[in-house]
Each structure stands twice: as structure tokens, then as C-alpha cells.
């Protein structure tokens, strides 16, 4: 056996082994090189645009340029809604390493409240990681300076200058103009999200909501180069935003102020319309609130105080308040009687202070317990005799009465150009059967004839019907918006008047008879509103109304002194002026104001004085109950 230490080397075997290894190494190198070449081809040719875009995103940002919201003016050019500059603290989550830690440090630096942090977390749920999210609005100059010297500690966080909405008139136009607020999740689903990039607020109520598309404008963009910290180095390209259109309203600040002041401590509403085009000159609902609190987000505590306030300041009484129209209904009932040939202008009814249906002992009382004696249309309207209108309503019947009142829009929306309007209620036989599964009773027709019972109207509805009456059947939709103006417009662009067809009243003399009876209310010797008719250069056509808040027993006597204020009657007054060529129509509703003659009518007179520039005051005669 040969000792291994003396075995000869196998050169052939060793050479083959080396060759095999070289071949394997070469093939492996070719494969690696091929992979590298393939990857380079993919990166440099096939996926070039994708990776070039990613590369650019590391140094180039596309920033939205939110448009400036259009301004809102009254008819005199007084600003009702403007934009004021402010600073907000904003963060882009994807540029922050530890967001919770960053927010905690910002809270220490700028004294953020727990409510600020909770609000930020709510907004964070509604935004993507690459979008700016507001941490706090309306930073003070001191807070801006404090953050600026510490900015290097907070990559992805910045102070941004923005314009925010401001209402210089405060609560005065809150229910008409409305307010803007932060865009919520529900609104995000319906808006054009591209056009709202960078926009934090949207119209919530009133004109701000109704004309959102006009007021908002069109978003712009700018392309900027940034450094590794995300700070802007230079602007590469920009497409400016298009500002929203300015909006001019029919509202008149002088009338609006006068109406709010005239209501005083009472809750209620005043609506004034331009009878010639439907323009809303004043729309007041009291109590009111400051819309500025909602712009950047109202606190939970502040909102709860408004929401839970028993006076309901957030409730728009002008559009949604339901009130029995009371005797302000009587001119429309009278016109129905004349037009349907149930009565004539000379027809007379005897009022002993009550009315009885045939075969029924129940007494339907007149407001004047001793009665008015024999009355015709003019005296019944002037003295607001309930018995005359009980008898007229009974002769008409609920079916004809309801059908005629439908001409004037009772029980229907007027179509005013702000959201949230209620329909009110004009009762009928069909309505009661559908809603209560009950038959209609004759006594219910009687009380419908004096605007009580199931009847419910809104102040804007009453003003609209009054304007239609004053214009002898020409119907205009109430409208707040009067004109628009954009940067490209040389002047204002008037918004078209929305006119409906005239009412199908056959005899013009019937219009005139009712209007003359309403003139008697203000200027007649026994008119219930005669105390407001003094020292006027023209005549007013009006009607007082007193609506019961609760029912009282047949033989009981209403005594306001023994009742809580919330149980006092509502006071109403409607009018148009001048009576022969109307320019304005007014509806006044004073909650728990007692007598329409004593409380609501003087308010209307003050507003007529303001509109027509009448300096002399009416003499203060003693008003009657109605």
C-alpha cells in the first residue's frame, strides 16, 4: 500500500476543477450583470416617469391656493361679511416622525388646551396624511413669534397666513346672512374636493350656504421647490386662484337695525319685503347670536349654551317660526267671500258679542264682549269683529276657504332664497283626516276664519301674502340676493326677479274693497290701529292681530296680569304702504306681546318712518285691544 504522503498530484483533475469553478463564476457574474442591466433598464427607461415623479416629490411640492371668498354687502354697500387675515398653526402628518409627541411639545410651547387637541384629532380623521391639518386658528402675534424661534424643532409644522370670515355687524344679520364653519365629513362627500383643496370653511346657513357656489371661487395651485426639511426654497410655477363673486343683497342695514331695536326685549320676528320685486329689505329673528363664534369652530361649552338656551337663539323664527295668524288672516277671508260671491261690500252682520252655529248652543266669542252691533265689511275689518268673520267662514266652508287661501301661499313655502324655510299649516278636511284620522267639524271652520285653530304661518309667509295682497295678485318670490360682482365685471350683475303668474281674481273691485277696509284699520275713527296713522303723508293699509297661545274656558276671562309671560298672547301686525301704490310690505310678530294694536302696530309704524324718511312721530293715542 502506497503511503499517501508519497502519492503523485493529479494535475488533470485539478485543472478541470479550476475550470469548472471559473465557468461557474463567469456564469454567475453574467447573471448578476444581466440582473443589474435589467434593473437599470427598468429604472432608467420603463419606470423612468414614475421614479422621476417620486424624485421630484422629494424636492417639489404642489400647493393649493385657496380662493378668496366673495364679500357680502347690503343694498347700501355696507359690508355684512368680509375676510380678515389671521395666522393658523398647521401640520402635515406625513412629514412628522412622531405626531403625538410633536403635538405634546406644541401644547407645552403654545399652551394648547385639551379641547384644541381633541379638535385636531377629529380633523385628523377627515384628512389624508399629506394634507395640512389645522392645530389652532387665530394665533396671537406673541404665539407666532414664539413658534418662529422654535420652528427648527418641528419639521412638518408651520404657521400659515390665511383669510377667515368675519361678520362686522355681529348678531344683526345672523339669521339672514348665516355663517361659515369648518367642512365636516358629510360635506366632504358632496363637494368638489379638488376645488376645495386648501379651503377650511364652507357656508353653513343663510345666504352663505345658499350661494356657496358663487361665493367660494376656484382653487389655484403653485409648484414650489423644497429643501430636506420641507421648507420652500423657490416657486417654480403658479396658477392663481379665482376669487368668489361678491354678493349684494336687498337687505337694508337701516331697516334691519330699526326692526331689531323696535322689538326691544321681546322675542319675535320682523320681515319687510319690497312689493315691487320681492326683495327682502329686513329679516329679523330675535333672540339672535354672534355668527363669528362659528367661523373657526365654536367650543362645546359655547355651543351647548346656545343649543340649550330656552329662548332658542339659533332658531330662525322668520323662516321656521309657526304662529297662529290671528286677525291678520281676515283680509284674505274677506277677499274669498267677495270673490266667491258669498258676501258683498254692503252685506251686514249683527254682532252681539258671540256667534252660534245653527242648532248649537256653544258660543264662539268675539274679542269685544259687548259686541259691535251691525257691521259691514269695512267696519268689521276696522274693528276686527270676530262674529262677522265667523259667519263668513261658515258660509264659505272649509273646502272653499282652504282652496282660496292656497292662492296666497298659506301652508306652502314661499321659495325664499335661504335654506330651512317651513311650510306652516293651512288646515283642510283632507289634512285632518290624513294627520289625525278625524272628521272636520263646523266649529273648526269658524275659528279658521279668524286665523286661530290649526292655522300656523311663518313671518316670511305672512309678509309674502301681504305683499301679494298689496300688489292685487302679482306674486314675487321673496329674494335676499340682489346682484353679483366678480373681478372681471365692470359693474354689478343684477339677479333676475322671480315673478309668478298673477292670481286668478275676477273682479278688481274686490281687491279695492279689501284694501279700503284695511286702510280703515289704520285711518278710520274706530280702527284698531288708528293710533299709528297720525301725521303720515300717505295712507297705510294694515291689519292687527292677537293670537292666543293657549285656550281658555268659554266663560273665563283672559287676564294677562295673572298669567306667566310665556302664556301671554302673541301680537301681530301686517301692512303695506303706501296703500294706493305699495312699495313695502311688513309682517311683525311679537311673541307674548299681548295686543297686536298696542305692541306690534307701533313697531311697523317706526319701520315705515325709517323707510320713507318720516321724521314726525305718530301721536300716542290709546290703542284698542286688537
Amino acid at each position: 500500500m502506497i503511503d499517501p504522503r508519497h502519492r503523485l498530484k493529479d494535475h488533470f483533475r485539478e485543472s478541470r476543477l479550476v475550470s469548472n469553478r471559473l465557468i461557474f463564476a463567469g456564469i454567475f457574474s453574467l447573471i448578476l450583470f444581466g440582473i443589474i442591466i435589467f434593473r437599470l433598464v427598468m429604472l432608467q427607461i420603463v419606470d423612468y416617469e414614475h421614479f422621476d415623479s417620486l424624485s421630484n416629490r422629494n424636492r417639489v411640492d404642489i400647493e393649493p391656493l385657496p380662493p378668496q371668498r366673495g364679500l357680502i354687502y347690503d343694498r347700501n354697500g355696507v359690508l355684512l361679511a368680509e375676510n380678515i387675515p389671521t395666522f393658523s398653526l398647521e401640520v402635515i402628518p406625513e412629514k412628522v416622525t412622531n405626531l403625538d409627541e410633536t403635538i405634546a411639545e406644541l401644547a407645552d410651547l403654545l399652551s394648547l388646551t385639551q379641547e384644541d387637541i381633541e379638535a385636531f384629532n377629529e380633523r385628523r380623521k377627515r384628512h389624508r396624511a399629506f394634507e395640512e391639518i389645522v392645530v389652532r386658528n387665530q394665533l396671537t402675534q406673541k404665539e407666532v413669534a414664539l413658534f418662529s424661534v422654535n420652528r427648527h424643532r418641528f419639521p412638518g409644522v408651520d404657521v400659515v397666513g390665511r383669510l377667515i370670515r368675519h361678520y362686522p355687524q355681529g348678531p344683526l344679520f345672523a339669521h339672514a346672512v348665516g355663517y361659515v364653519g369648518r367642512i365636516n365629513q358629510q360635506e366632504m362627500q358632496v363637494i368638489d374636493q379638488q376645488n376645495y383643496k386648501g379651503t377650511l370653511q364652507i357656508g353653513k346657513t343663510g345666504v352663505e350656504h345658499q350661494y356657496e357656489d358663487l361665493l367660494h371661487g376656484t382653487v389655484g395651485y403653485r409648484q414650489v421647490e423644497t429643501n430636506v426639511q420641507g421648507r420652500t426654497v423657490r416657486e417654480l410655477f403658479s396658477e392663481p386662484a379665482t376669487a368668489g363673486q361678491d354678493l349684494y343683497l336687498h337687505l337694508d342695514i337701516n331697516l334691519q337695525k330699526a326692526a331689531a331695536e323696535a322689538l326691544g326685549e321681546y322675542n319675535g320676528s320682523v320681515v319687510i319685503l319690497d312689493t315691487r320685486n320681492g326683495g327682502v329689505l329686513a329679516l329679523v329673528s330675535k333672540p339672535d347670536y354672534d355668527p363669528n363664534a362659528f367661523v373657526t369652530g365654536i367650543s362645546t361649552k359655547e355651543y351647548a349654551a346656545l343649543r340649550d338656551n330656552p329662548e332658542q337663539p339659533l332658531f330662525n323664527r322668520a323662516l321656521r317660526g309657526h304662529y297662529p295668524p290671528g286677525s291678520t288672516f281676515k283680509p284674505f277671508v274677506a277677499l274669498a267671500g267677495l270673490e266667491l260671491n258669498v258676501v258683498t261690500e254692503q252685506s251686514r252682520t249683527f254682532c252681539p258679542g258671540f256667534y252660534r252655529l245653527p242648532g248649537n248652543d256653544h258660543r264662539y266669542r268675539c274679542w269685544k264682549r259687548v259686541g259691535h252691533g251691525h257691521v259691514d265689511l269695512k267696519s268689521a275689518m276696522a274693528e276686527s269683529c270676530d262674529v262677522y268673520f265667523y259667519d263668513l267662514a261658515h258660509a264659505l266652508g272649509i273646502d272653499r276657504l282652504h282652496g282660496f287661501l292656497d292662492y296666497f301661499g298659506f301652508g306652502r313655502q314661499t321659495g325664499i332664497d335661504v335654506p330651512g324655510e317651513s311650510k306652516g299649516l293651512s288646515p283642510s278636511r283632507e289634512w285632518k283626516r290624513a294627520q289625525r284620522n278625524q272628521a272636520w267639524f263646523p266649529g273648526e271652520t269658524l275659528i279658521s276664519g279668524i286665523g286661530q285653530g290649526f292655522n300656523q304661518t311663518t313671518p316670511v309667509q305672512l309678509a309674502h301674502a301681504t305683499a301679494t295682497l298689496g300688489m292685487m295678485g302679482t306674486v314675487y318670490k321673496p329674494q335676499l340676493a340682489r346682484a353679483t360682482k366678480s373681478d372681471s365685471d365692470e359693474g354689478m350683475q343684477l339677479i333676475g326677479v322671480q315673478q309668478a303668474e298673477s292670481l286668478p281674481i275676477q273682479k278688481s273691485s274686490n281687491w279695492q274693497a279689501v284694501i279700503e277696509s284695511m286702510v280703515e284699520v289704520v285711518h278710520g275713527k274706530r280702527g284698531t290701529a288708528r293710533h299709528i296713522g297720525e301725521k303720515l303723508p300717505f295712507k297705510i293699509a294694515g291689519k292687527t292681530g292677537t293670537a292666543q297661545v293657549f285656550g281658555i274656558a268659554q266663560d273665563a276671562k283672559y287676564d294677562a296680569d295673572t298669567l306667566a309671560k310665556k302664556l301671554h298672547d302673541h301680537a301681530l301686525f301686517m301692512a303695506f304702504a303706501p296703500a294706493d301704490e305699495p312699495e313695502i310690505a311688513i309682517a311683525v310678530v311679537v311673541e307674548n306681546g299681548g295686543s297686536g294694536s298696542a305692541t306690534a302696530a307701533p313697531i311697523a309704524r317706526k319701520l315705515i318712518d325709517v323707510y320713507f324718511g318720516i321724521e314726525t312721530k305718530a301721536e300716542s293715542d290709546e290703542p284698542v285691544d286688537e
Side-chain angles (χ1 to χ4, degrees), residues 83-210:
N83 305 307
I84 59 173
T86 186
F87 293 102
S88 61
L89 185 68
E90 301 182 9
V91 60
I92 302 176
E94 73 172 7
K95 294 184 178 181
V96 179
T97 305
N98 189 323
L99 187 56
D100 292 334
E101 183 178 320
T102 298
I103 294 298
E105 292 178 5
L106 287 170
D108 291 336
L109 179 66
L110 301 176
S111 302
L112 300 181
T113 65
Q114 186 61 34
E115 192 166 352
D116 290 332
I117 297 173
E118 290 174 359
F120 166 76
N121 288 330
E122 283 298 316
R123 289 192 287 273
R124 182 180 170 187
K125 296 174 185 177
R126 302 195 299 267
H127 289 76
R128 299 175 182 177
F130 58 82
E131 295 179 327
E132 305 92 341
I133 306 175
V134 174
V135 180
R136 181 201 275 176
N137 281 298
Q138 295 180 287
L139 297 178
T140 65
Q141 293 292 336
K142 182 178 179 181
E143 288 171 333
V144 171
L146 187 59
F147 176 79
S148 297
V149 297
N150 289 276
R151 174 180 280 175
H152 63 281
R153 296 169 45 200
F154 301 102
V157 184
D158 209 348
V159 169
V160 179
R162 291 186 181 274
L163 293 174
I164 66 167
R165 206 59 158 174
H166 179 252
Y167 302 99
Q169 308 303 328
L172 186 60
F173 290 91
H175 289 287
V177 173
Y179 60 84
V180 300
R182 290 172 180 163
I183 302 173
N184 59 37
Q185 189 64 37
Q186 184 178 0
E187 290 160 340
M188 286 293 290
Q189 304 303 316
V190 296
I191 63 174
D192 181 351
Q193 295 189 25
Q194 289 299 318
N195 195 36
Y196 276 80
K197 282 188 177 296
T199 299
L200 304 178
Q201 297 158 338
I202 193 170
K204 298 285 187 177
T205 64
V207 167
E208 289 277 29
H209 176 81
Q210 183 75 18

Side-chain angles (χ1 to χ4, degrees), residues 249-545:
L249 306 182
H250 285 283
L251 290 170
D252 186 312
I253 191 170
N254 298 314
L255 282 174
Q256 189 82 359
K257 281 182 177 179
E261 291 171 1
L263 278 173
E265 297 302 315
Y266 285 108
N267 293 340
S269 177
V270 175
V271 177
I272 305 177
L273 302 181
D274 188 327
T275 56
R276 300 160 296 182
N277 55 27
V280 182
L281 303 177
L283 191 147
V284 173
S285 174
K286 290 189 71 176
D288 45 31
Y289 62 93
D290 188 354
N292 290 301
F294 289 85
V295 173
T296 57
I298 190 170
S299 70
T300 303
K301 183 178 180 181
E302 289 176 311
Y303 180 73
L306 289 171
R307 181 196 61 205
D308 301 333
N309 188 328
E311 303 293 314
Q312 296 183 285
L314 296 176
F315 184 66
N316 190 337
R317 288 161 164 80
L319 269 62
R320 299 186 59 79
H322 283 195
Y323 303 94
S327 293
T328 60
F329 224 39
K330 291 175 180 176
F332 308 100
V333 179
L335 185 59
L338 293 172
E339 183 65 17
L340 298 174
N341 298 313
V342 173
V343 294
T344 66
E345 198 175 345
Q346 292 77 31
S347 298
R348 294 173 69 81
T349 300
F350 180 70
C351 170
F354 61 89
Y355 182 83
R356 284 191 183 131
L357 284 167
N360 193 317
D361 291 334
H362 183 83
R363 293 186 175 189
Y364 295 88
R365 296 171 302 178
C366 183
W367 70 268
K368 190 174 182 181
R369 286 180 172 269
V370 297
H372 293 91
H374 287 94
V375 290
D376 58 12
L377 172 62
K378 186 174 289 188
S379 58
M381 190 73 71
E383 299 180 58
S384 199
C385 175
D386 291 334
V387 170
Y388 179 92
F389 289 95
Y390 287 148
D391 189 56
L392 177 53
H394 178 60
L396 282 166
I398 189 59
D399 297 322
R400 288 198 292 177
L401 180 59
H402 171 78
F404 191 86
L405 292 173
D406 187 61
Y407 289 152
F408 290 89
F410 291 107
R412 292 188 284 112
Q413 293 178 334
T414 65
I416 189 172
D417 55 341
V418 282
E421 183 187 8
S422 173
K423 296 191 299 183
L425 174 60
S426 180
S428 66
R429 194 185 307 274
E430 290 74 18
W431 167 82
K432 192 179 180 190
R433 185 181 297 114
Q435 296 296 319
R436 302 199 174 194
N437 196 28
Q438 295 175 354
W440 185 268
F441 298 107
E444 293 169 333
T445 303
L446 302 189
I447 57 177
S448 287
I450 62 166
Q452 293 282 174
F454 299 119
N455 287 282
Q456 298 285 313
T457 188
T458 65
V460 71
Q461 200 176 66
L462 184 59
H464 177 242
T466 303
T468 301
L469 184 59
M471 295 299 287
M472 295 188 180
T474 301
V475 184
Y476 296 101
K477 285 186 179 180
Q479 188 168 302
L480 278 89
R482 178 170 171 258
T484 62
K485 186 178 185 303
S486 63
D487 291 340
S488 59
D489 294 332
E490 293 184 5
M492 292 190 298
Q493 304 298 311
L494 294 178
I495 296 174
V497 173
Q498 300 186 48
Q499 180 179 349
E501 294 182 3
S502 297
L503 299 188
I505 304 299
Q506 300 299 318
K507 298 178 181 177
S508 59
S509 59
N510 291 337
W511 290 110
Q512 199 59 47
V514 172
I515 292 172
E516 287 175 1
S517 71
M518 293 174 65
V519 169
E520 198 72 10
V521 171
V522 180
H523 299 280
K525 292 181 179 180
R526 295 188 177 182
T528 55
R530 61 184 179 273
H531 60 293
I532 71 163
E534 298 294 328
K535 298 183 180 179
L536 274 170
F538 49 78
K539 290 186 177 181
I540 301 171
K543 184 68 192 79
T544 55

Side-chain angles (χ1 to χ4, degrees), residues 561-572:
D561 294 335
T562 63
L563 293 173
K565 183 180 178 182
K566 66 179 181 179
L567 297 178
H568 287 193
D569 293 340
H570 295 325
L572 298 94

Side-chain angles (χ1 to χ4, degrees), residues 545-558:
T546 302
Q548 290 182 354
V549 174
F550 74 106
I552 59 176
Q554 183 172 0
D555 297 322
K557 184 178 180 181
Y558 175 85

